[in-house]
């Protein structure tokens, strides 16, 4: 399987150029493909020279394994909720309003108050805010936190609320959450698209609606959950630290091997596989001293 991708050249000071990356993926040797990816990074960028390169690669491996684990789980479908029958309400006759006082010129020419301004204008004037401990925002009606892969929305509701009383619609670019017979608590366009099949909601302690949204793009921090709400300063987001010691032994060994091979190649030294082959060859030569290997061409 041939894989061709384009990578931004980090050394460009103006508009980044795109560099072609070509490699053939062999399912029987996935580490060979990863090695080529690391070779390309080492040649075209300074990423591997960073002190945090190993931790960042380990974090990427953990995120990929977690994504695979979730994909293997069968999504739980919400039971179909019956729409409540509309109650007939007797129309109330409006009483004639009293004649309003004619406003003065000063009142008619006054500028709109802060509360009358659209949310987008208010956010532009106030600027981005510092994220909460979960890299999200605590708002009046709900709060939200995030990782690179997911967004979790927590909505307080009256204690004892049952699941059948909740209205929750999760679409690719829109979220609507509330209680039946009441105005929605959240009803708006999401900051970025999500994967509806990997999203779900539940009630925690019968007093909080918790909605988990799986991001479509899992390499971007959201500035807000629903467009129009206050935006956070993503430069101040603090991602969860990930170390090699946190990985399982198999994954840790794989990451350490890739990093060792990359360092060896940068110094012009043999990789772990090449060292292993050399060791086998030395043992073979020692076992057959009668053979002349001086003119042998070994690949």
């Amino acid at each position: 399987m041939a894989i061709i991708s384009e990578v931004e050249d980090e050394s460009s000071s103006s508009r980044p150029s795109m560099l072609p990356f070509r490699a053939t993926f062999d399912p029987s040797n996935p580490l060979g493909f990863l090695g080529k990816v690391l070779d390309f990074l080492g040649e075209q960028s300074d990423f591997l020279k960073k002190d945090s390169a190993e931790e960042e690669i380990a974090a990427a491996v953990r995120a990929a394994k977690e994504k695979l684990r979730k994909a293997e789980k069968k999504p739980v479908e919400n039971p179909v909720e019956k729409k409540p029958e509309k109650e007939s309400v007797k129309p109330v006759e409006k009483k004639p309003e009293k004649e309003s006082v004619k406003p003065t010129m000063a009142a008619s020419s006054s500028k709109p108050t802060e509360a009358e301004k659209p949310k987008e204008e208010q956010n532009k004037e106030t600027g981005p805010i510092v994220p909460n401990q979960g890299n999200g925002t605590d708002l009046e009606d709900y709060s939200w936190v995030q990782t690179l892969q997911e967004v979790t929305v927590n909505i307080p509701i009256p204690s004892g609320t049952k699941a059948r009383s909740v209205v929750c619609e999760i679409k690719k670019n829109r979220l609507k959450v509330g209680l039946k017979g009441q105005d929605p608590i959240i009803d708006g366009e999401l900051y970025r698209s999500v994967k509806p099949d990997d999203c779900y909601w539940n009630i925690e302690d019968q007093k909080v609606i918790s909605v988990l949204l799986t991001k479509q793009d899992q390499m971007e921090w959201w500035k807000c959950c629903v467009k129009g709400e206050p935006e956070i300063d993503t430069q101040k987001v603090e991602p969860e630290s990930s170390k090699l010691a946190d990985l399982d032994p198999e994954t840790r060994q794989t990451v350490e091997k890739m990093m060792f091979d990359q360092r060896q190649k940068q110094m012009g030294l043999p990789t772990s596989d090449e060292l292993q082959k050399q060791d086998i060859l030395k043992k073979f030569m020692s076992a057959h001293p009668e053979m002349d290997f001086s003119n042998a061409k070994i690949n």
Side-chain angles (χ1 to χ4, degrees):
M1 180 187 296
I3 298 180
I4 303 176
S5 61
E6 294 184 343
V7 183
E8 292 187 1
D9 184 359
E10 296 180 355
S11 62
S12 175
S13 58
S14 57
R15 179 179 298 177
S17 61
M18 308 301 289
L19 298 176
F21 169 70
R22 299 175 183 272
T24 302
F25 177 68
D26 182 2
S28 64
N29 184 25
L31 289 180
F33 178 78
L34 290 176
K36 292 179 181 179
V37 173
L38 290 173
D39 288 345
F40 185 83
L41 285 176
E43 294 172 1
Q44 303 297 336
S45 73
D46 295 331
F47 172 76
L48 295 175
K49 295 180 181 180
K50 295 164 49 178
D51 295 336
S52 61
E54 293 186 12
E55 293 185 1
E56 293 184 27
I57 292 177
V61 172
R62 291 185 63 189
K65 293 188 70 174
E66 181 66 15
K67 181 179 178 181
L68 179 61
R69 183 184 65 80
K70 291 181 179 179
E72 292 175 349
K73 289 185 177 181
K74 186 177 180 181
V76 180
E77 297 182 358
N78 294 331
V80 179
E81 298 174 351
K82 296 182 179 180
K83 296 183 178 180
E85 298 180 358
K86 296 183 178 179
E87 298 180 0
S88 58
V89 181
K90 185 177 181 181
V92 180
E93 296 182 0
K94 292 185 177 180
K95 295 182 180 181
E97 298 180 356
K98 295 182 180 180
E99 186 176 352
S100 58
V101 179
K102 186 177 181 180
T104 61
M105 292 298 293
S108 61
S109 61
S110 61
K111 295 181 179 180
T113 62
E114 191 69 23
E116 295 172 345
K117 293 182 180 180
K119 290 183 179 179
E120 289 79 2
E121 291 186 13
Q122 296 181 32
N123 295 337
K124 289 180 180 179
E125 293 179 2
T126 57
I129 61 178
V130 178
N132 59 20
Q133 292 183 350
N135 298 321
T137 315
D138 298 322
L139 302 172
E140 182 178 354
D141 296 326
Y142 70 95
S143 63
W144 65 278
V145 296
Q146 66 173 323
T147 64
L148 276 174
Q149 294 79 35
E150 301 170 342
V151 172
T152 302
V153 184
N154 293 314
I155 308 165
I157 53 176
S159 180
T161 301
K162 303 296 183 182
R164 60 176 177 270
S165 302
V166 176
V167 176
C168 184
E169 297 178 5
I170 304 174
K171 298 181 180 180
K172 183 177 180 180
N173 296 299
R174 194 169 188 87
L175 175 65
K176 180 179 179 180
V177 185
L179 300 177
K180 292 181 180 179
Q182 302 181 21
D183 292 335
I185 301 173
I186 301 176
D187 187 8
E189 183 180 359
L190 294 169
Y191 179 74
R192 290 288 185 266
S193 58
V194 298
K195 301 176 182 179
D197 292 339
D198 295 334
C199 301
Y200 62 88
W201 66 270
N202 65 338
I203 296 181
E204 296 182 354
D205 300 328
Q206 293 188 338
K207 59 182 180 181
V208 175
I209 301 175
S210 180
V211 183
L212 185 140
L213 306 173
T214 302
K215 297 179 180 179
Q216 188 78 35
D217 181 0
Q218 301 193 347
M219 295 301 291
E220 179 185 10
W221 294 105
W222 285 17
K223 294 183 178 180
C224 61
C225 180
V226 177
K227 290 184 178 180
E229 297 292 355
E231 296 185 354
I232 65 170
D233 185 355
T234 54
Q235 298 296 324
K236 296 181 179 180
V237 165
E238 297 181 359
E240 182 180 358
S241 60
S242 176
K243 300 180 180 179
L244 287 175
D246 298 333
L247 300 175
D248 60 86
E250 182 181 356
T251 304
R252 178 179 178 179
Q253 184 179 5
T254 302
V255 174
E256 288 177 340
K257 181 179 182 295
M258 290 190 299
M259 297 303 300
F260 172 80
D261 290 344
Q262 184 58 35
R263 286 193 296 267
Q264 290 289 97
K265 289 181 180 180
Q266 289 180 343
M267 294 185 292
L269 300 175
T271 64
S272 56
D273 291 335
E274 292 170 344
L275 288 172
Q276 184 179 9
K277 292 177 182 178
Q278 290 179 7
D279 185 55
I280 294 174
L281 180 60
K282 287 179 181 179
K283 291 180 180 179
F284 180 80
M285 293 172 66
S286 299
H288 300 276
E290 73 281 2
M291 299 180 66
D292 183 12
F293 293 91
S294 58
N295 296 323
K297 197 172 183 180
I298 302 173
N299 293 328

